[in-house]
Amino acid sequence: MTAETGRSAGSTPWDIDPFEELYRLWKAITEGIQLGMPHIVGRARVEEGRVSGLEMNVILHETETELSFKDGDYVYFIIPAKPEEGIEGIYVRLDKILGDRG
Amino acid sequence: MKRKGTSIKIEAPKDSIEAVLRDVPGFVTNWPYVVRISMRDGLKAEIMMPRFVFRFRDTYRVEYHSDYNSHIYDGTGDRGHLTLVITLKEWQKYVDVVLELSYKGKGEFWLGKTLQDFVEKVGKAVKELAESRPIKAPEPTATSSDDGIAAGVDFSNPMSVAEFLSKSQMVHSGLHVISAEGLLGLIGELRGNIRSNVLYISGITNDGTRSFKVLLNGSRVLAIEFRDKNGTEVIKVEDDEDAGKALELTKKVQGAYMVNVWVPVGGV
């Protein structure tokens, strides 16, 4: 199994630690996979290309969905959270969305 | 003095076997009956040899010497003296490895069978370690840039991890049950299928209460992080003392983990 990062340039600069947030959600993700497809829904505050705030939660969805849009300084997003990709895999998805939208 | 010996054939290049034998802490960790390794103040290995209902436990200070075809591990303990001599003889398709173990000390008259087991299991460990090494290193240019990417990673700085991931690719994902002292075993198993010197291995338990990250270059641990309910321990390996601590930390990793392996894809 492979997961491309999609971008070879450096990652989005973060002022907060995205990994900590994902560790906090991990339990909900692994519990969720038994009932449906876990997704992370949330919003990130992106100012001048830097991510300065992040609020996230886990929701279940029937099918894999990915959606993001930008409104002012905030990027709102829903991304699939696949446990087999680990914390790092989910981070890479999140980083890509914020890189594209931010 | 009790002497026991064995000989095995290893189908791996002599260089791979020598690399295993020269990495003394890594090699000694894979010996049987080793219960603890300490790097503080020279390499010390605590070895517990069982026989009947007894256990002969001693801490040996290990010294290593080598010449063109033999490798000697000399262990001096408080109650005994243990010497292992490994001699290599290279043939066209394989290498003959002769191991001789001698022990003088407490319980030596009883320990014959245990010492025979000991030397045979060390032989098996050399074989497994040498044969699981990648046969050919990736081309030098890629290696040097991979080394550069890896050297910048410090687990106490999440952005250095992010930077590494942005230039990496996930090559393996799976649920692994890690037994006592088994993280090194798992790394060896994963290495067999992946052709990259630099590996980033990350694991997390189902409930998220325990997780680890380890960054390796060849058999060297460059950085390790272990987190559980008591908090997070992070080590960036810069000298031998750090290497010993990192090795200790690998032993805390036990249980069922979802494991992912990432390797650098090259390019900056």
Side-chain angles (χ1 to χ4, degrees):
Chain A
M1 159 176 241
T2 59
E4 291 286 345
T5 59
R7 285 181 305 140
S8 58
S11 57
T12 319
W14 295 78
D15 291 336
I16 43 158
D17 183 350
F19 297 103
E20 280 305 323
E21 297 294 313
L22 292 171
Y23 277 116
R24 196 172 54 76
L25 297 180
W26 185 257
K27 192 174 181 206
I29 294 169
T30 54
E31 282 174 354
I33 193 75
Q34 325 212 352
L35 305 166
M37 182 79 212
H39 285 69
I40 290 182
V41 55
R43 64 172 191 173
R45 190 179 169 89
V46 185
E47 288 167 306
E48 293 165 5
R50 300 185 69 83
V51 184
S52 56
L54 186 65
E55 297 155 44
M56 299 192 292
N57 259 308
V58 176
I59 57 156
L60 298 181
H61 211 279
E62 280 173 17
T63 52
E64 200 175 313
T65 310
E66 186 168 317
L67 176 73
S68 64
F69 60 90
K70 192 170 161 71
D71 182 19
D73 286 341
Y74 287 94
V75 175
Y76 294 80
F77 58 86
I78 298 178
I79 51 170
K82 299 179 179 172
E84 68 270 21
E85 292 179 1
I87 295 282
E88 287 80 2
I90 299 170
Y91 160 76
V92 166
R93 280 173 185 269
L94 181 61
D95 185 58
K96 185 171 184 309
I97 278 198
L98 298 181
D100 292 348
R101 297 278 169 202
Chain B
M1 177 82 78
K2 203 100 181 173
R3 284 201 181 87
K4 292 286 167 185
T6 185
S7 84
I8 46 166
K9 263 186 208 175
I10 299 183
E11 285 172 18
K14 195 177 174 208
D15 290 351
S16 309
I17 302 173
E18 286 186 327
V20 169
L21 298 178
R22 273 197 213 106
D23 175 14
V24 181
F27 178 45
V28 173
T29 310
N30 281 284
W31 289 8
Y33 312 130
V34 169
V35 289
R36 197 195 311 254
I37 292 266
S38 146
M39 298 285 291
R40 198 161 298 158
D41 197 20
L43 176 65
K44 284 188 203 129
E46 191 173 338
I47 299 178
M48 188 174 73
M49 291 186 279
R51 183 65 174 144
F52 308 121
V53 293
F54 308 112
R55 300 215 181 319
F56 297 92
R57 185 191 277 259
D58 201 353
T59 304
Y60 298 87
R61 176 186 290 274
V62 180
E63 280 180 31
Y64 167 72
H65 313 274
S66 66
D67 65 13
Y68 75 102
N69 71 345
S70 59
H71 299 257
I72 302 164
Y73 304 82
D74 202 16
T76 312
D78 298 331
R79 289 183 291 277
H81 196 107
L82 194 68
T83 307
L84 175 69
V85 181
I86 301 182
T87 314
L88 306 180
K89 186 160 187 195
E90 193 175 17
W91 300 93
Q92 213 155 27
K93 289 198 173 145
Y94 60 90
V95 179
D96 259 332
V97 180
V98 177
L99 299 99
E100 286 176 332
L101 179 72
S102 59
Y103 174 72
K104 184 172 169 40
K106 206 176 171 207
E108 66 175 273
F109 298 106
W110 293 353
L111 282 168
K113 190 172 186 302
T114 309
L115 292 168
Q116 185 65 40
D117 274 357
F118 194 120
V119 72
E120 281 171 10
K121 284 177 181 163
V122 172
K124 219 171 137 206
V126 178
K127 188 175 164 72
E128 278 169 10
L129 290 169
E131 289 179 354
S132 66
R133 287 178 80 85
I135 292 160
K136 222 171 146 191
E139 65 268 35
T141 49
T143 313
S144 59
S145 81
D146 287 359
D147 285 355
I149 296 171
V153 176
D154 181 348
F155 288 146
S156 55
N157 172 8
M159 281 310 100
S160 70
V161 177
E163 182 74 9
F164 177 84
L165 291 174
S166 72
K167 293 170 186 146
S168 302
Q169 182 181 16
M170 188 168 81
V171 293
H172 173 85
S173 163
L175 196 62
H176 292 264
V177 177
I178 301 171
S179 56
E181 298 193 24
L183 181 56
L184 295 173
L186 172 68
I187 290 170
E189 193 184 305
L190 295 170
R191 273 241 170 259
N193 309 322
I194 298 167
R195 292 201 164 203
S196 166
N197 275 338
V198 175
L199 294 187
Y200 172 103
I201 304 174
S202 143
I204 183 164
T205 54
N206 223 7
D207 58 5
T209 52
R210 277 172 295 143
S211 71
F212 70 88
K213 286 177 205 159
V214 55
L215 184 72
L216 297 145
N217 188 356
S219 61
R220 262 181 326 129
V221 174
L222 301 177
I224 182 165
E225 176 190 290
F226 177 74
R227 56 169 75 207
D228 62 6
K229 59 183 186 317
N230 302 322
T232 306
E233 268 183 82
V234 180
I235 295 169
K236 181 162 171 65
V237 177
E238 273 160 355
D239 54 31
D240 280 358
E241 194 177 323
D242 295 341
K245 283 190 212 154
L247 206 59
E248 283 295 308
L249 205 52
T250 62
K251 293 179 187 168
K252 287 198 182 175
V253 180
Q254 286 179 29
Y257 286 78
M258 170 58 82
V259 175
N260 296 99
V261 183
W262 295 72
V263 300
V265 284
V268 182

